Amino acid sequence: MMSIEARFLRRARLAALALAAAAAPAAAQTNARSPDERAAALEARMTDAERVRLLHSTSARPDRTGKPLPDGAIVSASFTPGNPRLGIPALYETDASLGVAWVNGLRHDGATALPSSLSLAATWDRDVARRGSALIAKEARAKGFNVLLAGGVNLAREPRNGRNFEYLGEDPLLAGTLAGETVRAIQAAHMISTVKHFALNAQETGRHVANARLSDAAAHDSDLLAFKIAIELGQPGAVMCAYNRYNGPHACQSEYLLGDVLKKEWRFPGFVMSDWGAVRDVRDLLAGLDRQSGEELDDKLYFADELLAAAQADPAMRARMRDAVRRMLRSMFAAGLFDDPPAIEPLDVAAGDAVARTAAAAGTVLLKNDGVLPLLRKAQRIAVIGGYAHVGVMSGGGSSQVEPVAGPAIAFQPAEARRRIEIHPAPPLAAIRGRLPADARIRFDDGHSSTGAAALAADADVAIVFATQWMSEGVDAPDLSLPQGQDAVIAAVAAANARTIVVLETGGPVLMPWLREVGAVLETWYPGSSGGEAIADVLFGDANPAGRLPITFPATLEQLPRPKLDDSSDPDRDVGSQSHALRGFDVDYDVEGADVGYRWFARTGAKPLFPFGYGLSYTRFDYSQLEVTGGDTLRVSFSVTNAGDRAGKDVPQVYVVDRAGTKGLRLIGWSNVSLAPGETRRVEVVADPRVLGAWSTERRGWQVRAGDYIVQVAHASDRADLSGHANVNGRVVR
Ligand code: BGC
């Protein structure tokens, strides 16, 4: 008897071979032409029925649709059958922000779970982004997929947002650049990537009905800029529009967002796919939506017979339908879906583990260290407490959920959660044991009771407390406190042992009422399927922490632009999917405008718990010899010295604090520098002129004003290690 997995692999392999054979003649005839020409030629040969067939996709999940899996489909987020007559390949789409999604184990195969995207953002490192996405793309191809639902780049306007772990923090330049690199790596592997969720889907509470209010200028200086940078750099085949409304219309019905901004002003040549369950009318097509995704989640199958009839009755509809098809085919040609179809292969699990481990260590942020870290590999008594550290590490929930090949170590559904919490089988406890001699004494306590945990800590040389915060798509955190009484356990352990190290595995920022009492704090986010080893690498100094916060850690909820999450009082609002019927409400992002995160803190003068850009190392870096030159943009060069006695990696950041007389803090660039002890290197940061300017709605561009610009080079957003200034020319940049 063949196992389910073997049957799946065989079926997928046959399907891929059949498609490759069918696609070959079409591809061969047209190889010399551009993706636009090939798409136009192919589209012209299609019947209207064939065109419409491309414009909707099924949720390839029998558990959701209640129907058998369509022939040739792979269990995943979405499937669109190919067109054998014309050699058009089927679209096999999987969620892939952190790895190939696990879809509740329905496919009976796992994948490498990379650390959360917020961890990637904490690396500030384009290479880590590229390597991680190249790995995801390779594994996805090996499973037969050719479209990756990746590239989440919504800005973290709301630290309680359940999906912050899928996004890249609060700064548009950092988030857009890293998202762009991930998309570029995926497309380079001959797959289509999305960027998502366009735009302003900044909280999960009421996500289908919330109306994000934000001026056009502020949106362009923040969230839209992040998307634009990601799109320019990554050239994704698709943009996924968001669930929420933006200044009135829903994002997937917004002629302004999809038609005017994305397609006209940004000249985006690819297609817009809806988020799953975000289509409301066949006329959404006229607003700029090209594809209805996961059609079973909508009230109706709009983009099939209804679209065909509308196209036949209305020339504008038909023209738009043909444009949508051309856009999809263009993206398929441009990415290489026709010429290089995926081939089913076994995964190289060890290679995946290695990439995930390096990435997790690189994204770990050392928030506090009074000298207790790094740990020595000697005989000692270590108490390991809490956080499921004996079985694994926390992972984030929702459509991006990945599980390694063996599945979760444990999965459970607490009464208050509506989804399963899954722990990756990557136990830090075993990894810590593996670093210590046989005569070291390592004991574990599950942290359920403060008394037991404190007793164990009192009888140890060092106590390592693991604290977890589970976050998920569809649910925002109620506040910023660690759940389930973990603060009390940490406080009790710290009172029992001054050498207490707190290892956080959280979806985003948390408050730390015990901060002063503990010896060290590491933020490891969701560290992925090699998380245990990566944490031990940092604890024992095999990896020198180089992560820097991509998101501000507030000291209190009152410091936020919206101390209370909008409409979180309605319990029905926290479910993402079929909540169209709920009453709408506004979320007023004009409060902070473009001043998201650290810029809001700088504007209000509030002192965060930890600022954006902050992170310690086991060595020390000094900055000197600043030179700033102006002209059409700012060029900032300076020397970075490793003044400590260990090799390490630094992320010197450059902020502008005054733009031709307008005060305000803004990241304009950074550098990633690896230095041996005592080594000095000169680095240069060239500002993207758009972050020197401000969006002008009249001129439809970023207006850079002529004048003197003051910059500071810093270890974090709240300090200036060096400062200088130069004159910048006035102009409008697009
Ligand atoms: C999410 C998307 C995801 C899609 C398909 C939606 O609920 O918002 O990010 O790609 O489902 O699984």
Side-chain angles (χ1 to χ4, degrees):
M1 254 262 319
M2 262 179 150
S3 70
I4 300 179
E5 186 169 3
R7 260 185 288 146
F8 152 71
L9 285 173
R10 185 161 166 272
R11 200 154 78 144
R13 190 178 298 122
L14 290 176
L17 289 175
L19 280 170
Q29 291 160 19
T30 47
N31 253 349
R33 293 187 284 158
S34 72
D36 286 304
E37 289 165 336
R38 293 173 76 180
L42 187 53
E43 189 275 335
R45 293 166 57 204
M46 294 171 83
T47 65
D48 278 357
E50 285 173 328
R51 291 184 173 111
V52 160
R53 187 61 204 88
L54 203 58
L55 299 183
H56 62 100
S57 84
T58 179
S59 282
R61 289 185 51 168
D63 62 323
R64 257 190 190 170
T65 62
K67 293 185 286 190
L69 196 63
D71 253 7
I74 307 173
V75 175
S76 65
S78 166
F79 171 72
T80 305
N83 179 331
R85 181 180 86 84
L86 296 167
I88 301 174
L91 296 177
Y92 300 93
E93 307 185 13
T94 176
D95 279 292
S97 295
L98 322 177
V100 182
W102 165 249
V103 280
N104 290 338
L106 293 170
R107 213 174 43 238
H108 306 281
D109 66 343
T112 302
L114 286 162
S116 60
S117 300
L118 207 50
S119 164
L120 168 60
T123 70
W124 297 53
D125 192 331
R126 299 165 176 88
D127 286 339
V128 179
R130 282 194 284 264
R131 277 198 296 270
S133 287
L135 177 87
I136 296 174
K138 187 160 175 260
E139 294 194 349
R141 278 183 70 90
K143 291 173 187 292
F145 292 107
N146 55 11
V147 179
L148 297 195
L149 311 173
V153 70
N154 297 85
L155 290 192
R157 283 180 175 270
E158 171 49 69
R160 289 158 292 194
N161 177 9
R163 297 190 88 170
N164 280 342
F165 76 92
E166 293 184 60
Y167 302 142
L168 294 152
E170 65 194 23
D171 180 78
L173 186 63
L174 179 63
T177 303
L178 294 177
E181 293 293 357
T182 64
V183 169
R184 184 149 76 159
I186 294 167
Q187 296 260 153
H190 296 167
M191 320 184 77
I192 288 177
S193 177
T194 56
V195 295
K196 63 187 187 181
H197 309 86
F198 193 65
L200 273 310
N201 188 172
Q203 68 172 47
E204 288 298 278
T205 302
R207 65 178 177 176
H208 283 277
V209 293
N211 179 29
R213 289 234 160 261
L214 183 63
S215 77
D216 178 55
H220 274 88
D221 283 333
S222 55
D223 300 66
L224 295 184
L225 182 58
F227 275 97
K228 188 162 200 303
I229 293 171
I231 291 169
E232 287 167 358
L233 198 58
Q235 305 201 1
V239 168
M240 189 191 295
C241 50
Y243 284 131
N244 54 285
R245 294 173 181 269
Y246 171 55
N247 288 345
H250 277 94
C252 289
Q253 298 182 300
S254 167
E255 212 172 324
Y256 178 67
L257 278 180
L258 307 184
D260 297 347
V261 173
L262 181 66
K263 289 182 172 174
K264 289 201 193 98
E265 292 185 355
W266 297 359
R267 300 207 176 98
F268 174 64
F271 67 102
V272 177
M273 63 165 78
S274 71
D275 200 340
W276 275 231
V279 185
R280 288 176 172 74
D281 196 306
V282 68
R283 299 180 74 78
D284 293 358
L285 188 84
L286 295 177
L289 179 66
D290 297 304
R291 205 279 300 267
Q292 178 176 14
S293 314
E295 61 209 27
E296 296 80 6
L297 293 187
D298 288 313
D299 295 341
K300 255 165 93 182
L301 177 42
Y302 298 102
F303 280 25
D305 292 347
E306 195 175 331
L307 174 55
L308 194 58
Q312 277 156 6
D314 175 355
M317 213 49 181
R318 186 153 187 277
R320 189 65 263 290
M321 171 193 75
R322 294 192 60 182
D323 174 54
V325 172
R326 276 193 295 270
R327 284 172 173 277
M328 287 193 65
L329 293 172
R330 191 230 179 247
S331 291
M332 293 165 72
F333 279 118
L337 266 55
F338 282 85
D339 304 327
D340 185 17
I344 309 294
E345 282 175 295
L347 298 195
D348 182 346
V349 174
D353 285 350
V355 173
R357 179 169 168 177
T358 314
T364 297
V365 185
L366 178 61
L367 293 173
K368 176 174 181 185
N369 186 14
D370 67 6
V372 63
L373 285 174
L375 293 173
L376 299 176
R377 291 163 194 267
K378 61 164 196 191
Q380 53 189 315
R381 297 166 306 152
I382 296 193
V384 176
I385 295 159
Y388 316 98
H390 58 315
V391 287
V393 292
M394 183 53 82
S395 66
S399 57
S400 69
Q401 177 86 53
V402 185
E403 278 299 340
V405 176
I410 49 170
F412 50 95
Q413 187 156 350
E416 72 277 12
R418 299 201 189 165
R419 288 172 171 76
R420 268 168 31 128
I421 299 182
E422 300 186 7
I423 305 292
H424 290 323
L429 179 61
I432 291 167
R433 274 213 176 98
R435 301 286 198 293
L436 290 166
D439 53 348
R441 197 197 75 186
I442 302 122
R443 289 195 176 152
F444 178 72
D445 179 277
D446 64 15
H448 287 167
S449 118
S450 295
T451 328
L456 194 75
D459 185 31
D461 302 315
V462 180
I464 311 176
V465 197
F466 286 80
T468 59
Q469 178 208 35
W470 176 77
M471 299 276 267
S472 172
E473 176 180 344
V475 199
D476 293 322
D479 52 39
L480 294 176
S481 293
L482 283 168
Q484 281 121 20
Q486 294 176 93
D487 283 329
V489 175
I490 298 171
V493 170
N497 190 327
R499 288 166 53 84
T500 289
I501 300 160
V502 180
V503 179
L504 296 169
E505 296 167 20
T506 67
V510 288
L511 306 179
M512 303 176 205
W514 32 259
L515 184 61
R516 232 173 292 161
E517 271 65 61
V518 302
V521 184
L522 278 177
E523 174 57 89
T524 71
W525 316 103
Y526 298 146
S529 51
S530 299
E533 290 298 333
I535 290 170
D537 287 342
V538 175
L539 287 173
F540 288 90
D542 300 325
N544 191 347
R548 304 288 183 265
L549 293 180
I551 185 167
T552 305
F553 276 47
T556 65
L557 283 174
E558 285 62 44
Q559 293 178 325
L560 299 176
R562 283 162 300 283
K564 187 178 166 304
L565 197 61
D566 277 311
D567 275 60
S568 51
S569 55
D570 182 342
D572 286 337
R573 290 236 163 99
D574 71 11
V575 172
S577 50
Q578 296 306 294
S579 50
H580 293 189
L582 292 174
R583 185 172 42 87
F585 60 97
D586 284 356
V587 185
D588 186 6
Y589 293 121
D590 280 319
V591 173
E592 74 275 29
D595 292 334
V596 181
Y598 66 94
R599 297 181 62 191
W600 169 257
F601 278 76
R603 182 167 118 189
T604 57
K607 193 174 155 28
L609 185 63
F610 291 109
F612 175 85
Y614 174 83
L616 303 171
S617 163
Y618 295 149
T619 186
R620 227 167 23 84
F621 298 98
D622 290 341
Y623 307 148
S624 60
Q625 294 171 308
L626 176 69
E627 274 176 58
V628 187
T629 56
D632 278 346
T633 187
L634 283 174
R635 287 174 183 276
V636 181
S637 55
F638 51 98
S639 299
V640 185
T641 302
N642 181 345
D645 54 9
R646 270 172 191 266
K649 211 173 108 188
D650 190 25
V651 186
Q653 301 144 40
V654 184
Y655 296 87
V656 66
V657 292
D658 190 317
R659 298 179 270 178
T662 306
K663 299 216 180 335
L665 184 69
R666 183 142 200 208
L667 179 74
I668 61 167
W670 69 92
S671 181
N672 304 86
V673 216
S674 290
L675 294 172
E679 189 182 350
T680 295
R681 184 147 346 125
R682 193 95 196 131
V683 300
E684 186 185 51
V685 169
V686 182
D688 181 324
R690 290 171 294 194
V691 297
L692 300 177
W695 179 259
S696 156
T697 294
E698 298 74 55
R699 306 182 78 169
R700 304 306 296 169
W702 283 270
Q703 172 79 60
V704 181
R705 289 173 48 225
D708 194 37
Y709 283 62
I710 305 178
V711 298
Q712 53 197 38
V713 175
H715 285 96
S717 59
D718 69 337
R719 52 183 282 184
D721 293 83
L722 303 172
S723 58
H725 62 102
N727 252 295
V728 175
N729 304 332
R731 61 184 175 130
V732 176
V733 194
R734 294 198 171 84

